Amino acid sequence: MNALHTWLSQQHHGLQTFREFQQRLYDACKDEPDQQGLCRLLNTVVDNYVEAFDEEPLPVAVADHAYQRLLDLVADIDFGASAEQRLAIINSVAASDLLH
């Protein structure tokens, strides 16, 4: 997942970045089939954010906050972690909302 974090950290905070991130998650599911649940869950979190502002004005402060929140979530993900650590990561992602 470090590759996703590296890529994300070099992007702009606009909705297009979030949409492209979703595509990269889809690709990660193919590369890491054992992590499909985590990738789909993270995709749902991102999708909720994208849908909230699709064709709506996106305030810069909101975009900055959501982008930083996503960076923080992705930084914590480690596909090589123990089962216990991965479960904690899954629970963290499940409780996440990029808007709050």
PDB file of all heavy atoms in Angstrom, residues 5 9 36-37 72 75 79:
ATOM      1  N   HIS A   5       0.123   5.328  -1.130  1.00  0.00           N
ATOM      2  CA  HIS A   5       0.380   6.510  -0.307  1.00  0.00           C
ATOM      3  C   HIS A   5       1.350   7.454  -1.016  1.00  0.00           C
ATOM      4  O   HIS A   5       1.135   8.664  -1.024  1.00  0.00           O
ATOM      5  CB  HIS A   5       0.923   6.112   1.064  1.00  0.00           C
ATOM      6  CG  HIS A   5       1.064   7.286   1.975  1.00  0.00           C
ATOM      7  ND1 HIS A   5       2.233   7.994   2.078  1.00  0.00           N
ATOM      8  CD2 HIS A   5       0.173   7.891   2.797  1.00  0.00           C
ATOM      9  CE1 HIS A   5       2.065   8.990   2.930  1.00  0.00           C
ATOM     10  NE2 HIS A   5       0.817   8.939   3.388  1.00  0.00           N
ATOM     11  N   SER A   9       0.243  11.168  -2.079  1.00  0.00           N
ATOM     12  CA  SER A   9       0.916  12.323  -1.472  1.00  0.00           C
ATOM     13  C   SER A   9       1.439  13.315  -2.503  1.00  0.00           C
ATOM     14  O   SER A   9       1.750  14.448  -2.157  1.00  0.00           O
ATOM     15  CB  SER A   9       2.054  11.848  -0.564  1.00  0.00           C
ATOM     16  OG  SER A   9       3.089  11.287  -1.332  1.00  0.00           O
ATOM     17  N   GLN A  36      -8.930  -7.664  -0.662  1.00  0.00           N
ATOM     18  CA  GLN A  36     -10.089  -7.091  -1.348  1.00  0.00           C
ATOM     19  C   GLN A  36     -11.061  -6.417  -0.390  1.00  0.00           C
ATOM     20  O   GLN A  36     -11.631  -5.375  -0.708  1.00  0.00           O
ATOM     21  CB  GLN A  36     -10.805  -8.161  -2.158  1.00  0.00           C
ATOM     22  CG  GLN A  36     -10.042  -8.553  -3.392  1.00  0.00           C
ATOM     23  CD  GLN A  36     -10.826  -9.511  -4.266  1.00  0.00           C
ATOM     24  OE1 GLN A  36     -12.051  -9.580  -4.185  1.00  0.00           O
ATOM     25  NE2 GLN A  36     -10.116 -10.249  -5.094  1.00  0.00           N
ATOM     26  N   GLY A  37     -11.261  -6.999   0.766  1.00  0.00           N
ATOM     27  CA  GLY A  37     -12.191  -6.408   1.729  1.00  0.00           C
ATOM     28  C   GLY A  37     -11.759  -5.016   2.146  1.00  0.00           C
ATOM     29  O   GLY A  37     -12.552  -4.079   2.163  1.00  0.00           O
ATOM     30  N   ASP A  72      -3.813  10.046   5.793  1.00  0.00           N
ATOM     31  CA  ASP A  72      -3.594   9.411   7.093  1.00  0.00           C
ATOM     32  C   ASP A  72      -4.084   7.964   7.089  1.00  0.00           C
ATOM     33  O   ASP A  72      -3.415   7.073   7.623  1.00  0.00           O
ATOM     34  CB  ASP A  72      -4.282  10.186   8.209  1.00  0.00           C
ATOM     35  CG  ASP A  72      -3.683  11.565   8.430  1.00  0.00           C
ATOM     36  OD1 ASP A  72      -2.551  11.825   7.950  1.00  0.00           O
ATOM     37  OD2 ASP A  72      -4.351  12.397   9.078  1.00  0.00           O
ATOM     38  N   ALA A  75      -1.714   5.836   4.935  1.00  0.00           N
ATOM     39  CA  ALA A  75      -0.400   5.679   5.570  1.00  0.00           C
ATOM     40  C   ALA A  75      -0.401   4.540   6.575  1.00  0.00           C
ATOM     41  O   ALA A  75       0.619   3.869   6.768  1.00  0.00           O
ATOM     42  CB  ALA A  75       0.016   6.982   6.247  1.00  0.00           C
ATOM     43  N   PHE A  79      -0.284  -4.156   3.980  1.00  0.00           N
ATOM     44  CA  PHE A  79      -0.772  -5.468   3.580  1.00  0.00           C
ATOM     45  C   PHE A  79       0.041  -6.595   4.200  1.00  0.00           C
ATOM     46  O   PHE A  79      -0.418  -7.715   4.289  1.00  0.00           O
ATOM     47  CB  PHE A  79      -0.769  -5.613   2.059  1.00  0.00           C
ATOM     48  CG  PHE A  79      -1.866  -4.845   1.372  1.00  0.00           C
ATOM     49  CD1 PHE A  79      -1.702  -4.423   0.070  1.00  0.00           C
ATOM     50  CD2 PHE A  79      -3.056  -4.547   2.001  1.00  0.00           C
ATOM     51  CE1 PHE A  79      -2.705  -3.732  -0.593  1.00  0.00           C
ATOM     52  CE2 PHE A  79      -4.064  -3.851   1.359  1.00  0.00           C
ATOM     53  CZ  PHE A  79      -3.885  -3.451   0.051  1.00  0.00           C
TER      54      PHE A  79
END
